[in-house]
Amino acid sequence: MDLEIAGKTCLITGGSSGIGLGIAKVLAQEGVHLAIASRRPDPKVIEELQHFGTTVVPISADVSKEEDAVRMVEESIEKLGHLDFYVNNAAWTWHQSITKLDSESWYNTINTNLSGAVFACRTAARHMVQRRQGAFVIISSTSKFTPGYTETAYRCSKMGLDALMQNLATELAPFGIRSNMVTPGHFVTRMTGWDRLDKTLVEKFRDHYIPMRRYGETQEVGYAVALLLSDKCSGYTTGADIVVDGGLSLGPIKVITDDEIKALNQIE
């Protein structure tokens, strides 16, 4: 099916690796012109995406800083001519148990995952309102469904994105602008660190907690994003959340022993 998004323009944050790169590959294959934002743009990635025949421009930005988030959007508009789509994917996490959570880890996580999204979406929304068209897709995480040990800051940031996506959907609908979310489960990426863990542990988690008994391929998130960006396929869809997790969120949370919990929060 032709999604009718060829020739459109899109800014993707965190688009040089992991899930962001998977999204970028799918959109490039569909003929979307891209601005790829990351702290350190990878020339090899840009070249790889350009092979699909669309315009691909690198944007250097640290989304944890408001001024960078704003400039990133403005630079994308300048280089692409206008902005049809914005995909908020950039994220990172600093794991700490609740009694050991320090302000640096908290603010690094919140500013990177949530504040940057708010300021970038605000800037993109101003542009889209003037054009009376556009679409947002916010990338979340299944961590918002189940409490994960040492993930307080990360979960707060991801749950906050739900509110952002919903407010974009309700406030921008009169201007013909849609906002939706894609929530991935576990993928083997640099951020999740699954590629650095013991293979037996990785296989055990997969077989015990993921009903489909496999980890996701990053481009599978990209297909969901492309579907939501397409007015042809999703013109009446806003405020929705597509979960791409192989069934992970259907199962119970991982339970550890009381002794293990105490060890996480032991005050020395």
Side-chain angles (χ1 to χ4, degrees), residues 48-178:
E48 178 185 2
L49 293 171
Q50 288 172 337
H51 285 162
F52 291 108
T54 61
T55 301
V56 183
V57 297
I59 306 288
S60 178
D62 178 354
V63 296
S64 69
K65 301 175 181 177
E66 180 181 356
E67 60 271 23
D68 269 28
V70 171
R71 176 187 54 77
M72 168 188 72
V73 177
E74 293 175 342
E75 188 175 336
S76 300
I77 294 169
E78 179 183 354
K79 290 185 175 180
L80 296 176
H82 64 272
L83 199 60
D84 294 303
F85 308 139
Y86 173 66
V87 177
N88 192 92
N89 167 74
W92 201 253
T93 180
W94 289 260
H95 289 291
Q96 290 182 330
S97 58
I98 189 63
T99 55
K100 298 175 183 178
L101 179 62
D102 57 51
S103 59
E104 181 180 9
S105 296
W106 170 262
Y107 287 116
N108 279 342
T109 304
I110 295 298
N111 289 341
T112 300
N113 299 356
L114 181 57
S115 298
V118 170
F119 296 128
C121 287
R122 178 193 66 187
T123 308
R126 290 170 177 171
H127 172 72
M128 292 179 183
V129 163
Q130 290 180 328
R131 302 185 69 239
R132 296 299 195 272
Q133 64 180 38
F136 292 86
V137 172
I138 310 295
I139 306 301
S140 186
S141 167
T142 52
S143 67
K144 68 186 180 184
F145 297 134
T146 52
Y149 301 103
T150 74
E151 289 189 346
T152 297
Y154 185 70
R155 290 196 72 231
C156 286
S157 72
K158 290 300 183 178
M159 295 178 79
L161 289 177
D162 277 41
L164 171 62
M165 181 274 289
Q166 292 163 0
N167 270 68
L168 288 169
T170 53
E171 293 186 33
L172 300 181
F175 299 99
I177 300 166
R178 299 181 297 104

Side-chain angles (χ1 to χ4, degrees), residues 5 8-11 32 83-87 128 134-135 229-230:
I5 58 176
K8 299 290 188 178
T9 61
C10 180
L11 166 60
V32 178
L83 199 60
D84 294 303
F85 308 139
Y86 173 66
V87 177
M128 292 179 183
L229 291 177
S230 168

Side-chain angles (χ1 to χ4, degrees), residues 6 23-24 52 153 155-156 164 180 203 213 234:
I23 296 169
F52 291 108
R155 290 196 72 231
C156 286
L164 171 62
N180 292 288
E203 292 176 349
R213 303 294 189 267
S234 303

